[in-house]
Amino acid sequence: MVTRRLRRLSVPLLVAATTAGALAGVAQAEPAPAFVLEDGVTQPVYSYADAIRESVWVDLGTDLDADGETDRMAVDIVRPAEPAAAGQRVPVIMDTSPYYLCCGRGNEAQRKTYDENGEPLGFPLYYDNYFVPRGYAVALVDDLGTNRSTSCPDGGGPAMTGASASVIDWLNGRATAYTSATGHETADADWSTGAVGMIGKSADGTVANGVATLGVEGLRTIVPIGAVSSYYHQHNANGAWGGYAPLRSGPPNLLTPRAYELCEPFFQDLETRFDDDGNWTRYWAERDYTRRADDVEASVFLVHGFTDQAVPSDHLARWWDALSEADVPRKLWLTQAGHVDPFDFDRERWVHTLHRWFDRWLLDIDNGIDDEPMVSVERAPGSWTDEAGWPAAGARDVTLRPSSPGLLSTATAPAGDAAAFTDDPEQDRWVWAADPDQPSPARVLFRTEPLESELRLSGSASVTVRASSTTSEAVVSAALVDYGPATVHDYLNPGWGSENLETRSCWGESTPSDSACYLDTALSLQDVDHHVLASGTGDLGHWATLWRQLPLRPGRAQTITFDLTAMDHVVPAGHRIGLILAGTDYWRSAAPSQLPTVTVDLARTSVELPVVGRTLDE
């Protein structure tokens, strides 16, 4: 069990009954218990159909869209009526998202729905259906400039994190909210204990990460799923520019028409603060949450996929390391699938675990979840292992080196040994990894001999490349590959490794406007003869510093080192480990204006693998 720092508990413990029968046995003159326990978990004793559904608009005290009115953030709430009638308070599960109108949430792309008076009817996802009957409120928050919120998003900066923090402040009696978007009738959160747990996948989980670094009182836990931990690393790659502006990327109709019109001056001003050449700036430092992990006062339950292409797993590795260093109470699920919510790859186990996690951190129920293994890792599709930590205990760096002709081993290449590739921005790591026995001008490929015994890799590999370019700019990418037959998640399919079935299962209670029954899912698998384990990209012109891109002198070698995406993988005996070096990977960066030929000094190039147990030469 990890030693945890003492936390300020701003929420009083609630009185709990020990059985569902206790609720029925309470005299009508007495208030009903705020929650009921049976078998160590809260029970569904409150009516979802009769729950209170309401909307409030939290005053942010800013006017980023310059319309002359203070910005307001829309919050749709559903909460059990019985505790409210008894004068008792409930904790809050909160999901801030930009996607409630444009794109929807979950495997069925659910959107918010309202009646003819604008009152909320349909709440996306299962949180409301499952947790409201158990004594929780659920608050779904429209992020800045989306759906029914005003203001302007600032690309994960202080405006967006501060706005959600203001909602938590309102839930704790420290901020003002109104009953309408433009009116002046105030709304109180006198039904809230002030204990808040934020949850969400992708952008939703990213907001939770950012709000946690503010140390806002009342935020007791966050559950980020496939979330960004640093916007620099989402839009750039070790000095290589990602090729798009973070404030203008995203799905069509992400923002409201009003926001697109009014926020244009705000966006133009913000975009002067970051460079389009991959340089690290104060703008990016402000949006790197890992730098403020010491300020996190909430517990953190992370979920991430090693093959996530929307939010690569290096985000997970940096955030987890920072939280571990800060001794934040934490838990981790790691899957071999892609950008997938665990509700869609291990539904029953996930809901049960999340239920106990919220009971522990929002209701202070001592259910033993803190004493269980901290980490669950999916080693192979559908095969999970519980461990005390991650990377695995005993993981250590083992250095492998490339040499001609296409060898990867612990031996150093002779001086002068070199290999060259020409940047082809139409290719990517999967193209490079195919046909390893066929030469390609776009990449150089090196492989070990077949392994005599299986080899576990747990953590983040890093590459050091010494290379020269024929032009003043050059991008270098690296990929680590397991060459050998396997069955893996089809993580590039539309479901990122999961697929919907025709059957449904129910998770909570329903109303005619909000069903608790969701399409079942199954793992989407494919048989392969090789598998890309990890990858990364860097700009050779940032060899000295990320703050500035330096022009390369053609023919003069420079050295860069960068991490690859995180992994936890067992390479079977008989397989070969491959290292690929190439130019632009169009999934991660834009191409240089002139495509270079890059010559790699193999004697001064290497990859460090996080190996558990026996090494390749033992």
Side-chain angles (χ1 to χ4, degrees):
M1 181 178 68
V2 173
T3 302
R4 286 174 288 277
R5 298 180 295 175
L6 293 176
R7 303 286 164 160
R8 297 192 306 271
L9 300 182
S10 61
V11 182
L13 289 174
L14 301 177
V15 177
T18 56
T19 66
L23 179 62
V26 175
Q28 290 185 351
E30 299 179 5
F35 63 86
V36 174
L37 282 181
E38 185 175 324
D39 297 328
V41 293
T42 51
Q43 296 298 302
V45 296
Y46 300 125
S47 169
Y48 178 72
D50 296 332
I52 298 168
R53 294 166 175 81
E54 60 191 338
S55 301
V56 302
W57 282 259
V58 175
D59 193 317
L60 304 179
T62 58
D63 185 15
L64 300 185
D65 55 16
D67 66 350
E69 302 289 341
T70 55
D71 300 324
R72 294 185 182 184
M73 199 171 203
V75 186
D76 294 317
I77 300 162
V78 55
R79 54 190 175 90
E82 295 90 338
Q88 295 183 316
R89 303 187 177 202
V90 294
V92 182
I93 297 169
M94 173 174 157
D95 186 344
T96 299
S97 178
Y99 299 133
Y100 288 130
L101 179 64
C102 76
C103 313
R105 309 308 292 134
N107 65 323
E108 298 181 52
Q110 291 183 317
R111 294 166 173 80
K112 287 182 176 180
T113 60
Y114 305 89
D115 67 16
E116 64 276 8
N117 297 317
E119 298 298 325
L121 290 176
F123 287 70
L125 302 175
Y126 62 95
Y127 307 141
D128 54 315
N129 310 90
Y130 186 85
F131 284 104
V132 169
R134 288 169 167 81
Y136 292 84
V138 171
L140 302 187
V141 184
D142 296 331
D143 213 340
L144 298 183
T146 69
N147 200 19
R148 302 203 295 179
S149 288
T150 61
S151 193
C152 305
D154 66 342
M160 295 177 72
T161 56
S164 285
S166 293
V167 176
I168 298 173
D169 285 340
W170 174 71
L171 290 166
N172 281 271
R174 300 188 300 265
T176 301
Y178 299 93
T179 60
S180 63
T182 58
H184 301 288
E185 180 184 351
T186 60
D188 294 327
D190 52 7
W191 48 266
S192 166
T193 65
V196 179
M198 294 188 70
I199 188 172
K201 173 188 165 186
S202 198
D204 308 18
T206 301
V207 175
N209 281 341
V211 176
T213 66
L214 301 180
V216 58
E217 187 175 357
L219 181 61
R220 298 284 297 276
T221 191
I222 64 170
V223 185
I225 302 165
V228 171
S229 62
S230 165
Y231 272 90
Y232 175 85
H233 295 91
Q234 182 68 0
H235 296 292
N236 304 274
N238 303 293
W241 178 46
Y244 53 97
L247 297 174
R248 302 182 185 280
S249 61
N253 303 317
L254 176 66
L255 305 182
T256 65
R258 182 180 185 276
Y260 279 119
E261 177 183 356
L262 296 181
C263 294
E264 184 61 26
F266 178 81
F267 292 157
Q268 290 180 1
D269 177 66
L270 266 187
E271 288 174 355
T272 65
R273 304 182 194 178
F274 64 83
D275 292 330
D276 60 0
D277 54 11
N279 288 344
W280 175 265
T281 66
R282 289 182 176 84
Y283 174 94
W284 297 118
E286 195 174 47
R287 290 157 176 78
D288 185 349
Y289 307 136
T290 67
R291 296 161 59 89
R292 300 193 298 278
D294 280 338
D295 296 326
V296 175
E297 293 291 334
S299 66
V300 181
F301 186 177
L302 289 173
V303 180
H304 216 106
F306 288 120
T307 57
D308 193 331
Q309 306 307 313
V311 182
S313 58
D314 52 320
H315 287 277
L316 168 278
R318 291 187 183 91
W319 193 215
W320 183 253
D321 287 349
L323 295 172
S324 301
E325 182 67 24
D327 196 24
V328 172
R330 62 202 180 277
K331 189 173 181 62
L332 177 63
W333 273 28
L334 293 169
T335 172
Q336 300 292 342
H339 197 56
V340 183
D341 191 305
F343 189 71
D344 296 331
F345 63 70
D346 199 347
R347 187 167 293 179
E348 183 172 358
R349 190 167 70 99
W350 168 248
V351 174
H352 176 69
T353 304
L354 182 65
H355 181 181
R356 297 177 64 235
W357 184 260
F358 280 147
D359 279 357
R360 160 66 181 92
W361 287 101
L362 298 185
L363 291 171
D364 297 305
I365 295 171
D366 185 7
N367 54 23
I369 197 168
D370 296 341
D371 301 319
E372 297 172 359
M374 184 185 298
V375 179
S376 290
V377 182
E378 185 187 28
R379 297 274 192 82
S383 177
W384 290 80
T385 300
D386 291 335
E387 300 200 349
W390 185 87
R396 64 190 191 279
D397 289 336
V398 173
T399 302
L400 297 183
R401 305 176 188 277
S403 61
S404 298
L407 301 177
L408 186 65
S409 68
T410 57
T412 302
D417 196 2
F421 59 83
T422 300
D423 196 321
D424 182 351
E426 299 299 318
Q427 296 192 20
D428 58 34
R429 69 204 79 153
W430 296 284
V431 175
W432 301 331
D435 302 317
D437 295 318
Q438 300 299 316
S440 168
R443 52 96 165 128
V444 290
L445 189 152
F446 309 89
R447 288 185 292 175
T448 65
E449 296 295 337
L451 302 184
E452 295 184 0
S453 59
E454 69 177 26
L455 186 72
R456 182 182 176 188
L457 305 175
S458 179
S460 299
S462 66
V463 295
T464 297
V465 180
R466 183 164 181 81
S468 61
S469 170
T470 57
T471 62
S472 61
E473 295 181 48
V475 169
V476 176
S477 295
L480 199 67
V481 185
D482 176 352
Y483 281 102
T487 299
V488 300
H489 287 280
D490 185 11
Y491 56 85
L492 294 181
N493 77 354
W496 305 96
S498 173
E499 59 185 3
N500 290 339
L501 303 177
E502 295 181 357
T503 58
R504 290 183 178 272
S505 58
C506 303
W507 298 86
E509 297 183 20
S510 299
T511 67
S513 301
D514 194 321
S515 174
C517 304
Y518 295 85
L519 288 174
D520 293 319
T521 62
L523 301 183
S524 177
L525 306 178
Q526 61 176 339
D527 295 326
V528 298
D529 60 9
H530 67 276
H531 176 43
V532 177
L533 301 179
S535 62
T537 295
D539 176 68
L540 197 57
H542 285 85
W543 60 272
T545 175
L546 282 180
W547 286 93
R548 182 185 177 193
Q549 183 186 47
L550 302 175
L552 299 173
R553 183 182 300 177
R556 181 174 181 175
Q558 302 292 354
T559 301
I560 59 171
T561 298
F562 53 87
D563 288 340
L564 306 185
T565 49
M567 58 185 168
D568 200 297
H569 178 77
V570 176
V571 184
H575 287 209
R576 304 171 72 178
I577 299 173
L579 172 66
I580 298 172
L581 300 175
T584 303
D585 180 340
Y586 75 77
W587 281 71
R588 292 305 302 266
S589 73
S593 56
Q594 292 181 296
L595 299 180
T597 294
V598 175
T599 300
V600 180
D601 181 348
L602 299 182
R604 302 173 73 176
T605 294
S606 61
V607 57
E608 288 194 346
L609 302 181
V611 174
V612 181
R614 293 173 56 87
T615 63
L616 282 81
D617 55 357
E618 291 179 334

